[in-house]
């Protein structure tokens, strides 16, 4: 009996690891998979600056995001759920103009360096404001609008579900792939100047979609022209 459950467990584990490896291209040197959800919902457009080995650098022109207040949690997954529920209410019409807003992608979870004791971090969850609403996005209690100037983003894509275990690894992999590039220096400089996020997780799918899931780690930075 014990060996049977052991077998089941290891079978299950190998299924899980195959799931990730099988669905995803083995060669990770080009990161130009267009998130399928951006065919049906609006995503911010960007220019690709460079596709490197294990990373992509993009430039986003000005964009607008509706963001939560910082959410204290030990788990990015939990904080994202909490933040997303607020943003979901917002787009369903729980805002000052009682206006419904179309869903967009990605939803961003920004990881802020922890100030408090031990494990808790702060997370800010953001919704990309559709072009149509950018001129006059309805305000809402507990949410604030962020207008970004043009920004550069170093990106690494990964598939499957975002978990508190894989994000650290993916962020470390992005950092490693950027080591020694001009981008790495620009990111360090930008983050040192601003005390801003370590990294941001961008999710393009709802939790109910199981296939073709695309997530990204973003390191956002400014570049002096
Ligand atoms: C961003 O702005 C620049 C300069 O105005 C323009 O050349 C470029 O096409 C814009 N890119 C996107 C993705 O809108
Ligand atoms: C850093 O701070 C400056 C000035 O407050 C701001 O304009 C810029 O957008 C910030 N950069 C990032 C990457 O957040």
């Amino acid at each position: 009996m014990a060996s049977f459950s052991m077998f089941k467990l290891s079978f299950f584990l190998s299924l899980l690891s195959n799931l990730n490896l099988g669905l995803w291209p083995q060669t990770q040197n080009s990161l130009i998979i267009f998130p399928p959800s951006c065919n049906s919902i609006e995503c911010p457009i960007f220019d690709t600056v460079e596709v490197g080995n294990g990373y992509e650098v993009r430039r986003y022109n000005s964009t607008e995001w509706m963001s939560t207040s910082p959410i204290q949690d030990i788990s990015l997954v939990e904080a994202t759920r909490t933040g997303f529920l607020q943003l979901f209410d917002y787009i369903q019409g729980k805002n000052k103009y009682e206006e419904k807003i179309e869903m967009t992608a990605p939803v961003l979870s920004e990881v802020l360096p922890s100030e408090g004791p031990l494990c808790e971090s702060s997370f800010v969850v953001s919704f990309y404001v559709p072009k149509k609403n950018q001129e006059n996005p309805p305000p809402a209690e507990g949410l604030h609008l962020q207008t970004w100037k043009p920004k550069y983003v170093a990106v690494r894509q990964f598939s499957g579900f975002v978990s508190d275990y894989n994000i650290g690894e993916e962020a470390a992999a992005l950092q490693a792939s950027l080591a020694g590039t001009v981008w790495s220096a620009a990111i360090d400089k930008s983050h040192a100047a601003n005390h801003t996020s370590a990294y941001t997780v961008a999710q393009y799918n709802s939790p109910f979609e199981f296939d073709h899931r695309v997530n990204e780690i973003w390191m956002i930075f400014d570049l002096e022209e």
Side-chain angles (χ1 to χ4, degrees), residues 120-146:
E120 287 219 327
S121 302
S122 317
F123 303 92
V124 172
V125 184
S126 300
F127 164 80
Y128 170 65
V129 178
K131 279 236 155 57
K132 180 172 168 281
N133 302 93
Q134 283 183 11
E135 216 165 282
N136 192 19
E141 208 178 310
L143 300 178
H144 64 277
L145 185 70
Q146 293 196 61

Side-chain angles (χ1 to χ4, degrees), residues 2 5 11 18 32 40 44-45 56 61 63 79 86 90 107 111 115 118 128 136 159 174 177 187 196 218 222:
S5 8
F11 177 71
N18 282 342
I32 43 172
S40 47
I45 52 169
E56 178 179 21
N61 284 342
T63 46
Q86 283 181 45
Y90 174 78
V107 167
V111 184
E115 283 165 18
L118 305 175
Y128 170 65
N136 192 19
S159 189
L174 174 58
S177 70
I187 290 166
T196 44
W218 283 14
D222 295 316

Side-chain angles (χ1 to χ4, degrees), residues 149 151 190 194 196 220-222:
K149 294 180 311 179
K151 282 192 195 296
S190 198
N194 282 45
T196 44
I220 302 167
F221 60 102
D222 295 316

